[in-house]
């Protein structure tokens, strides 16, 4: 909820943190303004989905929908999660191919990881951040492994960017 509010703050006049949420959440910054204590990375990733979700939530078909979660939240969560999941699988596939796994072996690894991910307890808002971190870490390993094979400084630079 808080990361989505930070995303919404990027393009609307709403605050990052509502005053009634402090002191349970938020930090005072310059001029006493309340800020989210999360980084901006995932909020930027969710920005296109938030724009689309806000637009969709104003459609006439959803005029009477007042349940929680809101239409905007549903659109953002599903579209962002699908994007990050697909990217993570593609990066994992690339890394396993570099390590000379067979396509059949990769299918087993990825299917097993998907089952473990889906079998875990309720997915919280933080789950997306963890999966995003997994994607970047796997990408870093993949580029670093490619650098070990080719000694290309561009691949080393790509790995360094993924690891921050």
């Amino acid at each position: 909820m808080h990361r989505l509010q930070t995303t919404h703050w990027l393009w609307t006049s709403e605050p990052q943190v509502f005053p009634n949420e402090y002191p349970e959440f938020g930090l005072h910054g310059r001029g006493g303004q309340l800020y989210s204590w999360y980084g901006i990375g995932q909020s930027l990733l969710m920005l296109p989905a938030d724009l689309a979700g806000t637009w969709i939530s104003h459609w006439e078909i959803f005029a009477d929908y007042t349940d929680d979660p809101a239409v905007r939240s549903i659109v953002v969560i599903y579209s962002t999660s699908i994007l990050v999941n697909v990217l993570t699988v593609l990066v994992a596939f690339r890394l396993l191919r570099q390590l000379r796994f067979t396509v059949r072996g990769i299918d087993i690894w990825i299917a097993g990881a998907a089952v473990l991910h889906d079998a875990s307890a309720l997915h919280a808002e933080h789950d997306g951040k963890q999966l995003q971190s997994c994607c970047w870490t796997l990408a870093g390993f993949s580029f670093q492994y490619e650098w070990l094979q080719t000694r290309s400084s561009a691949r080393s630079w790509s790995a360094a960017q993924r690891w921050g």
Side-chain angles (χ1 to χ4, degrees), residues 71-82:
V71 172
R72 177 174 67 100
S73 297
I74 293 168
V75 170
V76 171
I77 290 167
Y78 276 92
S79 60
T80 305
S81 293
I82 289 169

Side-chain angles (χ1 to χ4, degrees), residues 2 8 13 15 21 35 39 68-69 75 78 82 85 89 92 101-102 106 111 117 127 132 141 145 147 158 163:
H2 292 107
H8 210 58
S13 60
E21 294 178 319
Y35 291 96
D68 187 36
V75 170
Y78 276 92
I82 289 169
N85 278 311
V89 167
F101 277 73
T102 64
I106 292 172
H117 181 262
D127 188 50
Q132 185 181 351
F141 281 130
Y145 186 74
W147 172 80
S158 293
W163 284 335

